[in-house]
Structures are given as C-alpha cells and as structure tokens.
Amino acid sequence: MEIDAPSIANSSPSKSGGTSDAAATAAAVDKSIKIHPLAIIGISDHHTRVITGGSALPPSAPVVGLLFGNQDAHSISIVDAEEMECPEKGLAT
C-alpha cells in the first residue's frame, strides 16, 4: 500500500523570504507502507476468532495485537503480526 505524497502548490517566493526549494522538496518525499500477506492473515484470523466466538474472549472484546517490521527513512514494512488477549474488565475507561 502506497501513500500519496501531498501536492505542493506552486507559489512564487515573496521578497521577505517566502517558500524555499528545500522546504518544498522535503514536503514531497515519497512515503510507503508495505504489509506482508502473513501479517494480514494473522490480523484477520485473530479478528474472526474473537468476533465469531472461537476464542476464550467474549465477542465484544477489543482485538489487540503487535505488529513486527522495520522502518527505513520514509518506508515502513510490516512483516508479521501477533495476537494478544485483552480482557474487557482489565481495560480502564
């Protein structure tokens, strides 16, 4: 999944210093998030088990888990997901 970079309106610099080319370039950096299929399967499996009652948790329990991956500059890669049990009575409201 790729995230579109924000569009930058072309504006002419003002006499008092306005916009600079470096600031415009920094705002237009490409960013991306990549999710491995194994992580998607783990997340959907955990969600399905909790919601359908195939888990010890009640169907109204929140679906909570951990994402494992890495970040390189402006790119995030999620390679695995792990489920966690989060009982409702342990949550602060």
Side-chain angles (χ1 to χ4, degrees):
M1 181 170 143
E2 303 251 346
I3 299 174
D4 295 332
S7 62
I8 300 173
N10 290 335
S11 60
S12 59
S14 64
K15 293 180 182 177
S16 62
T19 62
S20 68
D21 290 335
T25 304
V29 173
D30 288 337
K31 299 175 185 176
S32 67
I33 298 175
K34 299 175 184 174
I35 303 176
H36 194 275
L38 180 62
I40 295 172
I41 290 171
I43 294 166
S44 67
D45 180 53
H46 180 50
H47 181 266
T48 301
R49 275 188 279 115
V50 170
I51 298 302
T52 61
S55 172
L57 298 172
S60 61
V63 177
V64 180
L66 302 170
L67 297 176
F68 297 100
N70 58 30
Q71 178 181 2
D72 296 322
H74 299 286
S75 175
I76 297 173
S77 297
I78 306 298
V79 294
D80 199 6
E82 187 66 32
E83 62 191 60
M84 292 180 59
E85 291 188 10
C86 184
E88 285 188 90
K89 62 183 172 184
L91 293 176
T93 56

